[in-house]
Amino acid sequence: MPISDERPKLYMDEYKLKQDPHDYGLADDPIDIENFKKKFKIIIVRYEGNDLEFDIIGVHPGIANAFRRLMLSEVPSMAIERVYIHNNTSVIQDEVLAHRLGLIPLKADPRLFEYRGDENDQGTEQDTLDFELKVKCSRRKDIKESSNFDLIYKNHRIYSGQMKWLPKGKQAQIYSESDVGPIHDDILITQMRPGHELDLRLAAVKGIGKDHAKFSPVATAFYRLLPEIKLKKEVVGKDAFLLQKCFSPGVIGLDDNDRAYVKSARYDACSRNVYRYPQLVDVVEMSRIRDHYIFTVESLGALKPDVIFIEAVKVLKKKCRKFLDEIEEA
């Protein structure tokens, strides 16, 4: 029997999902460590910059979803938590300005810092990064008339790159400004006119996304089940071109004889458009593999996406250890 037929599947009918008659469900699988080791796989499919796509095969949906939730909400990062406003004469309100500053992603590696306690209001060099944003908008005297505000005004646009790091204690000996500053220097904070001024002190601390979304280390982390598409009949000519348009680009290919074939079912969106055409209804069998998860992780930049996943595994392991210890003590 082919390996693809042995995998647990969900068949996609026109209006519902249909269970494989030979698949009794993952929830009823007996726990067998040796069998789990044989089936379990992690395959890296694409790794470009801060984007990672990988497959997890042979795990329960609850485990896959746990990894997703942990990457989003329990892997820590550094973010601006407190904004001390000494002066703000711009048009943006204090609370809106503080919120925008908090959402600026920082390069600082959270593994090198501790969580900040409540006993020290100013923080220490082990748990706090201080920044300063002190700018004033003025009119350039050398340019008289122009419709471009960037030419006639100095500091018309305030960007994240204008934040200045203020080392605490021995931080200057350990880090450089390029290690802890904003990931992107071109994030627009506000716009000003002559006479407007900002004088702010910013304190960044370590936190997790469960407390606030600004601490989440990922822009997105999600998974989907691996699609599987089979052609039950030969499709040629106009029907082949029509079949190709029913799926995402690159899923259905055409050979030299205009005969349709499954090129790559991996990136199919499972739209079921094929059911709109009566002549194609019985041509295709669409399903999803229930224990094959395609993960996509996009990091903000402080941690690499593979490191974020490993940190999520560590968090899950720590939670399991704590749970087992409580059971043993009970």
Side-chain angles (χ1 to χ4, degrees):
M1 182 180 291
I3 297 177
S4 60
D5 292 336
E6 296 177 353
R7 297 180 292 179
K9 298 178 183 178
L10 285 172
Y11 292 97
M12 299 178 61
D13 285 349
E14 185 174 2
Y15 298 111
K16 63 180 180 180
L17 293 175
K18 186 174 66 176
Q19 190 113 343
D20 191 319
H22 302 291
D23 177 22
Y24 50 83
L26 293 173
D28 297 327
D29 281 343
I31 299 176
D32 186 341
I33 297 299
E34 294 302 322
N35 189 37
F36 172 78
K37 289 180 180 179
K38 292 178 182 178
K39 292 183 177 180
F40 178 68
K41 294 179 182 179
I42 295 181
I43 302 172
I44 296 178
V45 177
R46 179 176 57 86
Y47 195 164
E48 299 174 355
N50 291 324
D51 297 341
L52 173 64
E53 181 181 324
F54 63 96
D55 293 359
I56 296 183
I57 305 171
V59 298
H60 190 275
I63 302 297
N65 193 46
F67 289 141
R68 180 192 67 85
R69 290 173 63 100
L70 290 171
M71 285 188 283
L72 285 168
S73 61
E74 296 204 42
V75 174
S77 69
M78 300 290 289
I80 294 171
E81 174 70 3
R82 299 189 180 185
V83 179
Y84 300 92
I85 302 176
H86 302 298
N87 192 12
N88 173 24
T89 57
S90 68
V91 296
I92 192 169
Q93 298 93 335
D94 290 352
E95 60 272 20
V96 177
L97 179 63
H99 184 261
R100 290 178 66 84
L101 290 166
L103 293 174
I104 296 175
L106 302 177
K107 295 178 183 176
D109 189 338
R111 296 171 295 179
L112 304 177
F113 294 87
E114 300 174 357
Y115 287 101
R116 182 168 172 173
D118 298 330
E119 62 279 358
N120 192 340
D121 186 61
Q122 297 299 319
T124 66
E125 59 185 284
Q126 286 81 27
D127 59 28
T128 305
L129 288 170
D130 284 342
F131 297 90
E132 181 184 61
L133 182 59
K134 196 171 184 179
V135 289
K136 184 176 182 179
C137 181
S138 59
R139 187 181 182 92
R140 298 181 187 273
K141 297 181 180 179
D142 54 335
I143 300 177
K144 295 183 179 181
E145 294 183 3
S146 175
S147 59
N148 188 342
F149 294 143
D150 292 324
L151 292 178
I152 61 177
Y153 299 142
K154 184 179 180 181
N155 291 326
H156 159 57
R157 299 175 186 266
I158 309 303
Y159 293 98
S160 54
Q162 294 175 260
M163 293 166 47
K164 182 181 178 182
W165 177 46
L166 304 176
K168 296 174 72 72
K170 298 181 180 179
Q171 285 183 345
Q173 302 175 15
I174 305 173
Y175 317 110
S176 64
E177 189 159 5
S178 60
D179 296 330
V180 299
I183 293 175
H184 305 289
D185 292 336
D186 57 350
I187 299 175
L188 181 65
I189 298 174
T190 185
Q191 297 186 29
M192 302 199 299
R193 291 293 186 271
H196 291 177
E197 184 178 357
L198 289 178
D199 187 359
L200 316 173
R201 188 172 70 82
L202 321 171
V205 300
K206 182 177 179 178
I208 57 176
K210 188 165 63 173
D211 294 332
H212 195 287
K214 66 185 178 184
F215 290 114
S216 181
V218 296
T220 183
F222 64 92
Y223 67 84
R224 58 192 181 91
L225 298 180
L226 176 69
E228 184 176 79
I229 299 172
K230 291 183 179 179
L231 298 181
K232 299 188 290 184
K233 299 179 181 178
E234 185 177 273
V235 185
V236 295
K238 293 183 179 179
D239 286 345
F241 284 96
L242 184 59
L243 180 67
Q244 187 181 45
K245 292 181 179 180
C246 289
F247 293 91
S248 303
V251 174
I252 301 296
L254 300 176
D255 61 16
D256 296 336
N257 297 320
D258 290 341
R259 182 183 294 107
Y261 66 94
V262 180
K263 186 176 180 180
S264 176
R266 179 182 182 86
Y267 297 107
D268 180 46
C270 300
S271 63
R272 295 179 170 139
N273 282 334
V274 68
Y275 289 109
R276 297 169 58 191
Y277 307 100
Q279 69 271 31
L280 299 179
V281 170
D282 297 327
V283 168
V284 182
E285 179 184 87
M286 296 185 297
S287 62
R288 287 191 173 191
I289 310 302
R290 293 205 294 115
D291 66 346
H292 191 138
Y293 308 90
I294 302 174
F295 269 83
T296 301
V297 180
E298 181 183 338
S299 169
L300 290 175
L303 296 175
K304 289 295 183 181
D306 58 327
V307 175
I308 294 175
F309 178 73
I310 292 173
E311 291 299 312
V313 173
K314 291 179 181 178
V315 173
L316 182 60
K317 182 179 178 181
K318 185 177 179 181
K319 287 177 177 288
C320 293
R321 185 69 266 170
K322 182 179 179 181
F323 180 65
L324 291 174
D325 291 342
E326 290 181 356
I327 292 178
E328 292 173 359
E329 293 174 1

